[in-house]
Amino acid sequence: KVRLQEEVQTNILMQISPRGILADEFCKRAKERGLLIRPIRNQYRVRLVFYKGITRKDAEEAAAILLALDSEL
């Protein structure tokens, strides 16, 4: 399942570890739903970067996509 940090002090989230599928596949499924995320360093981590143009609504939509993907694993 997806692990989320309680307090985030950065615009980069990197410790999301999907179970059951490799990061490349997790990223592919997210992209199919409109969320662009990238695998990093190994087969089990993905990277999300929030930049200045990301709104609260965008972040909530991204979270909803991640939660939906997580529930499918």
Side-chain angles (χ1 to χ4, degrees), residues 3 8 30 42 49 63:
R3 293 180 317 188
V8 178
N42 66 39
V49 177

Side-chain angles (χ1 to χ4, degrees), residues 31-56:
K31 184 177 181 181
E32 290 170 354
R33 296 173 188 225
L35 179 62
L36 301 177
I37 56 178
R38 309 283 287 167
I40 59 164
R41 299 190 189 229
N42 66 39
Q43 298 177 351
Y44 300 102
R45 289 188 181 184
V46 297
R47 174 181 169 158
L48 292 87
V49 177
F50 291 83
Y51 61 91
K52 189 176 181 177
I54 299 293
T55 65
R56 180 178 183 92

Side-chain angles (χ1 to χ4, degrees), residues 8-71:
V8 178
Q9 302 275 332
T10 180
N11 67 328
I12 300 172
L13 302 175
M14 295 186 357
Q15 298 260 220
I16 297 177
S17 303
R19 271 195 218 164
I21 61 174
L22 297 177
D24 285 335
E25 179 63 23
F26 189 82
C27 292
K28 178 184 168 200
R29 291 181 188 188
K31 184 177 181 181
E32 290 170 354
R33 296 173 188 225
L35 179 62
L36 301 177
I37 56 178
R38 309 283 287 167
I40 59 164
R41 299 190 189 229
N42 66 39
Q43 298 177 351
Y44 300 102
R45 289 188 181 184
V46 297
R47 174 181 169 158
L48 292 87
V49 177
F50 291 83
Y51 61 91
K52 189 176 181 177
I54 299 293
T55 65
R56 180 178 183 92
K57 182 180 179 216
D58 294 332
E60 289 171 352
E61 289 174 2
I65 291 169
L66 292 173
L67 290 171
L69 288 171
D70 186 58
S71 71

